[in-house]
Amino acid sequence: MKAWQLSRHGEPQDVLELAEVPRPAPGPGQLLVRVLAAAANFPDALLCRGTYQVRPPLPFCPGVELCGEVAETGPDVTRFSAGDRVIGGTVLPYGAFAEYAVMDAATTMPAPDGLDDAEAAPFHITYQTGWFGLHRRAQLAAGETLLVHAAAGGVGSGAVQLGKVAGARVIGVAGGPEKASVARELGADVVVDRVGGEAFRRSTKCIAFEGRILVVGFASGDIPSAALNHALVKNYSILGLHWGLYQQRDPRAVRDCHAELTMLAAAGVIRPLISERLPLAGVPDGLRRLADGATTGRIVFLP
C-alpha cells in the first residue's frame, strides 16, 4: 500500500516520503481500516518536526484522524464489523496518511450518516474538543459572550458553531481579511486580526467578571505565563483542556458526547468547514500551509 513515511524529523515538505509499504495487520482490540479521508491536524506537523508530546519511533506514518471503512478486525473486537464506516484517531506508526491505517476499536466511533467522508474525517476532534471545552470545562450558558480565537480554523470554526447552538453571543477573532470573511460567514459578531501567544494576554484584558479563559493549545509557539494576581483581582478562571485525557479517564463521556454531536449534525446545525479536498499526494504541502497558519477550516486528503 502507499503511505507517507517519516524517517527523520523536520518540516513536512522536507522529510515526508511516499513509499510502498506492507499493509498492517490489526492486533487485539484494533481495526484495520481503508482510509476514505484523512484530516490534517496541527499535531501532524509537530509529529513531523519531532516536537509533539508523543514521539513514535522512526520510521512511521503520521496522520492522527480519519474517516475509514473497516477492512479487518483484530481479536476480541465486537463493536465493529468489516464494511462499517468509522471515524476517530489512529494508532501510530500506522497513521492516516496512507491507503490503510490502524485504529483502536475502544476509541473509534461510527461515522455520522449525514456527513460525506471528507466532512466526517475531522468531525471527531473538531467537535469533541469544542463540546468538552465549552460545556464540560467552561460551562457556557445561553446569553453569555463567547470569544473564539482562530475562529476561521478547524477547531475554532467548530467552537463558533457550537457556541451558536448553545445560544451564546459569539465573537470570532481571525487573522487577515480572508480568514475574517470566513469567520463572518460562520456568524461571528466581531472579527479581530490578532492570533498567537499575544491572544491570551489580550484575552485577560477583556475577560468579564467570573469569566473563563479556556486554554486549548499554543499554535503560535508562544506559551504565555499567567499573572495569577490579575486572575484574582478580576475574578476570572483559567481552564486547561486536554481532550485526549477524557478518552483515558472518562470514555463514556466521550461516547455520550459523540451521540449528542451526531444528533446535531443530523439536524444540520453543525457541519465541519472543509476548505480543501486534496489527493494523498498533497499531504506535505497541505501540512506545510497548516503549520504556517495559511489555511482556513479543515484540509482533508482523499487517497
Side-chain angles (χ1 to χ4, degrees):
M1 70 172 189
K2 290 184 173 64
W4 283 102
Q5 291 285 290
L6 195 70
S7 57
R8 58 190 174 94
H9 293 123
E11 294 303 311
Q13 69 274 18
D14 297 328
V15 296
L16 283 169
E17 299 178 342
L18 189 60
E20 284 285 342
V21 298
R23 196 170 86 170
Q30 294 181 339
L31 305 171
L32 176 69
V33 300
R34 181 172 66 89
V35 178
L36 302 176
N41 284 275
F42 194 70
D44 293 317
L46 299 182
L47 281 165
C48 290
R49 294 170 174 169
T51 57
Y52 195 52
Q53 56 258 43
V54 177
R55 296 189 66 176
L58 297 169
F60 70 92
C61 175
V64 299
E65 185 182 28
L66 60 75
C67 172
E69 179 184 78
V70 176
E72 187 179 342
T73 60
D76 303 323
V77 173
T78 58
R79 289 182 61 220
F80 298 103
S81 302
D84 288 346
R85 197 172 73 116
V86 296
I87 60 173
T90 58
V91 178
L92 300 180
Y94 306 114
F97 300 148
E99 293 178 318
Y100 287 85
V102 173
M103 304 177 75
D104 181 351
T107 59
T108 297
M109 302 292 170
D113 292 334
L115 303 180
D116 65 27
D117 296 336
E119 292 169 330
F123 184 82
H124 196 53
I125 290 178
T126 296
Y127 293 107
Q128 287 270 343
T129 301
W131 193 94
F132 273 90
L134 297 182
H135 298 294
R136 182 75 173 245
R137 300 294 289 131
Q139 299 291 310
L140 180 69
E144 289 190 313
T145 298
L146 169 66
L147 174 70
V148 180
H149 290 294
V155 171
S157 61
V160 167
Q161 294 174 39
L162 289 172
K164 291 171 63 180
V165 171
R169 173 176 178 256
V170 180
I171 300 175
V173 182
E178 182 180 349
K179 293 188 178 184
S181 174
V182 172
R184 288 193 188 97
E185 290 173 7
L186 287 167
D189 299 299
V190 179
V191 181
V192 180
D193 184 12
R194 179 61 65 181
V195 180
E198 184 65 18
F200 174 85
R201 291 181 281 271
R202 290 183 177 270
S203 295
T204 65
K205 305 299 182 184
C206 65
I207 191 69
F209 172 73
E210 293 194 334
R212 289 85 75 200
I213 298 176
L214 181 74
V215 179
V216 179
F218 312 101
S220 69
D222 179 359
I223 302 177
S225 297
L228 297 183
N229 61 321
H230 191 259
L232 182 152
V233 170
K234 291 192 69 175
N235 272 39
Y236 65 83
S237 302
I238 301 169
L239 307 171
L241 174 64
H242 177 192
W243 169 74
L245 205 55
Y246 284 99
Q247 295 198 104
Q248 301 174 29
R249 300 292 186 90
D250 196 353
R252 177 174 291 278
V254 175
R255 292 193 294 270
D256 291 344
C257 175
H258 179 72
E260 181 171 341
L261 292 172
T262 298
M263 288 190 293
L264 293 177
V269 294
I270 62 172
R271 183 170 293 270
L273 175 64
I274 308 300
S275 59
E276 299 180 61
R277 302 175 185 230
L278 303 175
L280 189 62
V283 166
D285 184 65
L287 290 185
R288 176 191 64 80
R289 290 185 291 110
L290 173 65
D292 290 344
T295 62
T296 59
R298 301 302 299 265
I299 296 178
V300 176
F301 306 104
L302 306 172

